[in-house]
Amino acid sequence: GQNIDQPTEMTATEGAIVQINCTYQTSGFNGLFWYQQHAGEAPTFLSYNVLDGLEEKGRFSSFLSRSKGYSYLLLKELQMKDSASYLCAVRDGDYQLIWGAGTKLIIKP
Amino acid sequence: DTAVSQTPKYLVTQMGNDKSIKCEQNLGHDTMYWYKQDSKKFLKIMFSYNNKELIINETVPNRFSPKSPDKAHLNLHINSLELGDSAVYFCASSQRTGGDGANVLTFGAGSRLTVL
């Protein structure tokens, strides 16, 4: 079956670094996405990986290993506004997106 | 200026009623979607339309009927509402349907439906 696993909740300190992991088992693979969702708001796009390796975008980086069915989102220099849920999603074919339940990240001062 | 706008933002109604949620995008995208996000926060695709044509129709009760009068609008009508329909419904759009490249989804702000 199709499955995406992420930790339910993580806590980190302002200014620190946090890594949010995502493992997936899907029938196909055509890209992995990370979205950020603040409470009560819409998900917004953060990153996209389709080839193995690291994609860096400012304070956020995303890594993909297709052979291991694994990705992580790395957030550096954490700010209070980074408190949100982080959703991992895999496109398993031409257009079907399979979503994880999201990781709620709590930032403490 | 809003890219994907959906109304209403909140909807509280009784079981058995019929309700509609409207969605409009001004991004010029070809593809629009309805997602349901339940209390466990999973986003589940319900429907997808490409240029007014239905392309994804997941296992959704036929009480849910989408309508796309043009490629900028995708409305959702729900008949005979049930308690289990309580959720946040997100409309989204993307440039195209195909899987080449990121083809990022832009979401609306969500419509929180509460069925009493």
Side-chain angles (χ1 to χ4, degrees), chain A residues 30-82:
Chain A
N30 193 6
L32 184 142
F33 298 78
W34 285 95
Y35 280 75
Q36 180 190 58
Q37 186 176 24
H38 284 100
E41 296 184 14
T44 54
F45 171 74
L46 284 179
S47 69
Y48 167 72
N49 294 69
V50 67
L51 299 176
D52 290 351
L54 190 68
E55 294 281 342
E56 296 187 76
K57 210 189 267 190
R59 294 189 299 115
F60 293 6
S61 304
S62 56
F63 172 83
L64 174 67
S65 168
R66 289 171 296 170
S67 61
K68 293 181 180 173
Y70 167 70
S71 172
Y72 67 72
L73 181 69
L74 191 72
L75 292 78
K76 301 177 189 173
E77 300 166 21
L78 284 168
Q79 302 174 10
M80 297 304 291
K81 67 178 181 179
D82 297 330

Side-chain angles (χ1 to χ4, degrees), chain B residues 3-115:
Chain B
V4 180
S5 58
Q6 51 182 112
T7 54
K9 191 167 172 64
Y10 298 98
L11 196 50
V12 181
T13 189
Q14 300 286 333
M15 266 198 318
N17 283 351
D18 303 339
K19 290 294 176 188
S20 292
I21 308 172
K22 295 186 175 181
C23 180
E24 175 181 4
Q25 54 97 1
N26 63 6
L27 296 166
H29 287 171
D30 282 346
T31 308
M32 295 185 73
Y33 311 80
W34 276 111
Y35 277 89
K36 179 180 180 181
Q37 189 172 44
D38 59 25
S39 56
K40 293 184 180 175
K41 304 302 181 188
F42 277 104
L43 270 169
K44 292 180 184 172
I45 183 74
M46 299 174 70
F47 303 102
S48 175
Y49 272 73
N50 184 61
N51 206 3
K52 301 192 299 176
E53 184 183 336
L54 180 66
I55 53 169
I56 295 177
N57 184 354
E58 288 299 302
T59 311
V60 175
N62 58 14
R63 298 181 295 105
F64 291 78
S65 52
K67 278 196 171 56
S68 182
D70 55 60
K71 76 172 193 177
H73 294 84
L74 180 61
N75 303 323
L76 183 66
H77 187 76
I78 316 169
N79 288 327
S80 304
L81 279 157
E82 300 177 358
L83 293 176
D85 297 334
S86 294
V88 181
Y89 292 84
F90 284 101
C91 177
S93 71
S94 63
Q95 200 162 12
R96 61 194 180 283
T97 303
D100 292 335
N103 198 24
V104 171
L105 292 178
T106 302
F107 285 85
S111 297
R112 181 175 292 277
L113 172 65
T114 304
V115 182

